[in-house]
Amino acid sequence: MAGCRSWVFLLTVCAVSVFGAKAEIKFTIPVGKLFTYELKRETFQSEFEPLSKLYAGRLYDDPMIFKCNRQYFPDLPEWLRFTQRHPFDNGFLYGTPTSPGKSIIEIYAVNKRSYETARHILVIKVTAEKMLPYQAEFFLKLREIEKVLPSTVQTEIKQDLQKLWDTEALEIVNISNALDQGGRVPLPLAGHFEGVYVKVGSEQYFSDCLQRVLTPEHQRQCTAGAKVKVPGGCNFCSIPSNCITWCKTELFDLTKLEPEPPAPTMGSGILDAGIDFDPPESPPSRDYLPDYLVTVIVPLILAVILCALLAYVMFCRREGVAKRNARTNQIQLYHQHTIHGDTDELRNMAGNRGVPPPLSTLPMFNCRTGERASPLQSDSPSIPLIMAQHDPYSDTLPRK
């Protein structure tokens, strides 16, 4: 039986690879309710290596990055967001739709080891539904967006807020990152978090603990920047990271909202009879002479002044420069004449010493034997200076 299942799985995988079938996931969600979808790397890993786990026994844990966009569009719908902190983490699509409709989302997974890609199609159908009349938004200071999107963490947060609201009929309306609402990027140190806003709604009116947020004393403390204590009996967070910041808590009563004004009626675009059109008057005349003077005349005057200054430097001061150059040349000639004179004096002094000149200075002198060789009789105008050049078979090395 197990062998039969293996063959069925193998045929299914082959069919998928041959025909290029792509996964298509469909969701139907109401307006005003939070939608989350986790992009699990394990799902796409099985598509990149479908047969390695079954036969080769190799299990890969490749880093992946996800890219999501609306079909035929470069980005996602305005109500939908995507987050992925690291290639080894799962990705999340989350958001709250505001109007009914249908969105087709393309999900591309890129394997950073093999650079293979996989494509999934996510079809989200949004249906119209009445909004929850009473809503509240809380700020969780010790949370980050990708840590609260898993369903288990949402359940924990929801249970603590149910105790605070004193009702179990509570739904999470929206979850958003604090950075998306003007928050500051935290330091990359332990104990520093971005923060998360969690918005919930219910059919039941706010509890007494929540109504204390609307009191003037509470608002005055928050405005003064003082540390606001938790109201007595209102601390229901079982996990420290689920504790809310009371000064950033807001309550929304949708039953008291003013109805939207009716949309303007479109007319025919034709004026009623008997009403004459009065065109606007032509603008008054303007004198452009000051603009012309500033734009043309002033730069022209500056150019003339610069040209005159350059002509003065180039032509009127050349005499002084020529005199300096002539004086410098005279000094150089005097130094050269002095050097020639000193050289002649040294030569005369060397000739008057009465010492015979060295043998090495005599013509055709043999440095090994100390003899003077007479010039060779040859028709060639060149005389060899080394005897080896005249007789290549003679030994010129000194012998003992």
Side-chain angles (χ1 to χ4, degrees):
M1 189 67 179
C4 182
R5 291 180 179 177
S6 301
W7 278 106
V8 171
F9 174 77
L10 178 60
L11 292 175
T12 304
V13 171
C14 293
V16 169
S17 60
V18 170
F19 295 102
K22 302 297 180 182
E24 183 173 308
I25 305 101
K26 296 182 179 180
F27 286 96
T28 301
I29 58 176
V31 173
K33 298 294 180 65
L34 177 66
F35 166 77
T36 57
Y37 178 70
E38 184 176 4
L39 307 179
K40 298 182 179 180
R41 293 188 303 114
E42 295 81 1
T43 304
F44 294 90
Q45 185 68 60
S46 61
E47 295 190 11
F48 293 139
E49 303 289 342
L51 301 179
S52 61
K53 182 178 179 181
L54 184 61
Y55 294 100
R58 294 176 299 176
L59 296 177
Y60 289 104
D61 187 20
D62 300 332
M64 301 180 192
I65 58 174
F66 299 97
K67 298 181 180 180
C68 306
N69 63 279
R70 189 178 177 184
Q71 192 175 33
Y72 307 123
F73 289 88
D75 51 4
L76 292 170
E78 59 181 6
W79 62 269
L80 191 61
R81 301 187 182 215
F82 171 75
T83 182
Q84 184 188 16
R85 183 74 63 175
H86 193 269
F88 284 97
D89 297 336
N90 294 336
F92 286 93
L93 283 169
Y94 66 99
T96 302
T98 56
S99 59
K102 182 179 179 181
S103 299
I104 301 177
I105 309 300
E106 295 179 333
I107 303 173
Y108 294 93
V110 181
N111 190 325
K112 298 297 289 183
R113 178 184 63 86
S114 61
Y115 291 96
E116 294 180 277
T117 59
R119 176 174 176 265
H120 284 187
I121 298 295
L122 183 65
V123 181
I124 304 174
K125 183 179 180 181
V126 182
T127 58
E129 188 173 317
K130 185 180 179 182
M131 301 283 290
L132 295 174
Y134 305 105
Q135 299 182 6
E137 188 175 56
F138 306 96
F139 178 67
L140 307 182
K141 183 180 180 180
L142 303 179
R143 287 288 192 179
E144 292 182 345
I145 186 64
E146 66 274 1
K147 302 298 182 181
V148 301
L149 291 177
S151 58
T152 55
V153 181
Q154 292 186 35
T155 302
E156 296 174 356
I157 298 175
K158 183 178 177 181
Q159 290 175 355
D160 289 342
L161 295 180
Q162 285 175 348
K163 298 176 184 178
L164 180 62
W165 201 304
D166 195 15
T167 180
E168 294 185 357
L170 197 69
E171 297 291 339
I172 297 180
V173 175
N174 189 23
I175 296 179
S176 60
N177 193 348
L179 300 181
D180 297 334
Q181 298 193 20
R184 301 180 64 180
V185 178
L187 296 175
L189 300 175
H192 292 76
F193 303 91
E194 296 175 353
V196 175
Y197 284 94
V198 179
K199 194 173 187 179
V200 296
S202 176
E203 296 283 350
Q204 183 177 335
Y205 193 68
F206 307 113
S207 62
D208 295 337
C209 291
L210 294 177
Q211 292 182 29
R212 295 183 184 182
V213 178
L214 303 177
T215 59
E217 181 181 358
H218 176 82
Q219 296 178 0
R220 183 170 56 257
Q221 291 178 357
C222 293
T223 304
K227 185 177 181 180
V228 180
K229 297 182 179 180
V230 179
C234 296
N235 188 6
F236 296 103
C237 53
S238 59
I239 303 176
S241 57
N242 289 345
C243 295
I244 65 175
T245 303
W246 284 94
C247 281
K248 293 186 178 181
T249 301
E250 296 185 18
L251 305 181
F252 304 93
D253 188 357
L254 302 184
T255 59
K256 297 180 180 180
L257 295 179
E258 298 180 358
E260 297 181 0
T265 57
M266 302 298 294
S268 61
I270 302 176
L271 296 176
D272 298 335
I275 301 178
D276 297 333
F277 175 70
D278 187 10
E281 297 180 357
S282 59
S285 59
R286 181 181 175 183
D287 186 10
Y288 292 98
L289 180 60
D291 297 340
Y292 173 77
L293 295 177
V294 174
T295 306
V296 178
I297 302 300
V298 173
L300 185 60
I301 293 175
L302 293 177
V304 171
I305 293 175
L306 292 177
C307 291
L309 181 61
L310 181 62
Y312 171 75
V313 172
M314 293 295 295
F315 298 101
C316 299
R317 296 180 60 85
R318 289 180 63 86
E319 182 179 357
V321 175
K323 288 181 179 179
R324 286 197 299 270
N325 293 337
R327 189 179 301 111
T328 303
N329 294 334
Q330 290 178 0
I331 294 173
Q332 292 178 354
L333 291 174
Y334 175 75
H335 288 171
Q336 187 177 7
H337 177 72
T338 304
I339 293 171
H340 280 290
D342 295 341
T343 303
D344 294 338
E345 184 178 357
L346 291 174
R347 289 176 179 174
N348 295 331
M349 292 173 63
N352 297 330
R353 286 185 301 177
V355 179
L359 297 177
S360 60
T361 60
L362 299 178
M364 303 302 294
F365 171 73
N366 192 336
C367 64
R368 293 185 179 87
T369 61
E371 298 178 354
R372 290 181 59 187
S374 58
L376 300 177
Q377 301 296 329
S378 176
D379 297 336
S380 174
S382 62
I383 301 175
L385 299 179
I386 302 175
M387 298 303 297
Q389 295 180 357
H390 179 73
D391 187 4
Y393 298 102
S394 63
D395 187 7
T396 60
L397 297 177
R399 303 297 179 182
K400 291 183 181 180

